Amino acid sequence: MMLVPIRSCRALALAIRSIHSSSRTCNLVAPPDPVSHMRPIIYSDAPPPPAPSFLRHPYSLDEFSTVSREQEDLALQFKLQRQQLDDFHQNFWFDSNTRFEAAKQAILAGLPPSASPLDEEKVLSDFYTQWYIQEAHRTDAYTKEWRRRNFALIKLSFRVQIQEFAKAVTDFLPFKK
């Protein structure tokens, strides 16, 4: 029995990857939003937009699907919930930062032009403390909701992975029902 060194296996894997015909998919991270400061994720497997309703097909395209309807629905539900969670996160911080900057500018505009940098620092320090106290309940409610949604998304992701694993096992087995 001949053992193949690990280095050769890696070289073989790289050679196979280089001739693989499909493109590699990965999620991309976009530049930060100027207001929310959140970096949106561009998913490579984002659900496609719905087909225009005016297009009609003579055959049911579901007939040609190799994936079960339940599997497809669960995967689509995961992708949609993932996008909804990202949107929820983006919208909260966009709104919060917009209100923060507006309130901060109002405080700074209320200072007399002769105010020293020390006066400005004191006013901003008081503003930051007041803002933190004022927003604590809203931020806590957001955090609680975000965690709830994130945990539900993790559970759904787990269900999708289990389904994909079960399908891979049944496709691999030599006998079919």
Side-chain angles (χ1 to χ4, degrees):
M1 182 173 146
M2 184 176 152
L3 296 176
V4 178
I6 293 175
R7 193 171 293 228
S8 296
C9 291
R10 285 190 185 144
L12 179 63
L14 287 173
I16 290 171
R17 169 121 333 265
S18 68
I19 61 171
H20 196 272
S21 63
S22 63
S23 63
R24 188 170 168 207
T25 60
C26 57
N27 299 331
L28 303 174
V29 178
D33 181 83
V35 177
S36 71
H37 306 294
M38 297 292 111
R39 295 178 63 118
I41 300 172
I42 302 166
Y43 295 104
S44 61
D45 64 345
S53 60
F54 60 85
L55 293 178
R56 303 231 183 246
H57 200 282
Y59 300 102
S60 169
L61 296 179
D62 291 338
E63 293 177 29
F64 306 110
S65 178
T66 58
V67 179
S68 75
R69 194 70 173 149
E70 183 182 330
Q71 258 184 313
E72 205 172 78
D73 289 347
L74 205 56
L76 179 63
Q77 183 182 359
F78 167 73
K79 292 172 187 176
L80 291 174
Q81 280 187 9
R82 178 183 63 187
Q83 190 62 50
Q84 288 169 352
L85 181 63
D86 287 351
D87 292 345
F88 173 70
H89 183 66
Q90 166 70 19
N91 292 339
F92 174 82
W93 288 110
F94 183 87
D95 177 56
S96 182
N97 291 349
T98 301
R99 292 182 311 101
F100 175 82
E101 286 300 324
K104 181 178 162 186
Q105 292 307 318
I107 291 292
L108 291 175
L111 283 174
S114 62
S116 70
L118 190 58
D119 292 337
E120 184 178 319
E121 213 173 286
K122 171 74 172 119
V123 168
L124 284 177
S125 178
D126 292 343
F127 166 72
Y128 294 147
T129 302
Q130 184 58 36
W131 181 265
Y132 179 78
I133 293 167
Q134 168 189 326
E135 293 294 307
H137 178 70
R138 185 173 181 275
T139 305
D140 290 345
Y142 157 76
T143 303
K144 185 177 179 180
E145 177 64 16
W146 184 86
R147 287 180 177 163
R148 184 191 66 74
R149 290 184 186 196
N150 202 26
F151 187 70
L153 189 63
I154 291 169
K155 288 192 309 188
L156 186 57
S157 171
F158 183 70
R159 287 179 56 201
V160 169
Q161 294 296 319
I162 292 291
Q163 256 187 353
E164 289 174 359
F165 176 74
K167 183 185 180 320
V169 168
T170 55
D171 288 350
F172 178 74
L173 295 176
F175 53 88
K176 302 270 184 188
K177 290 183 180 179

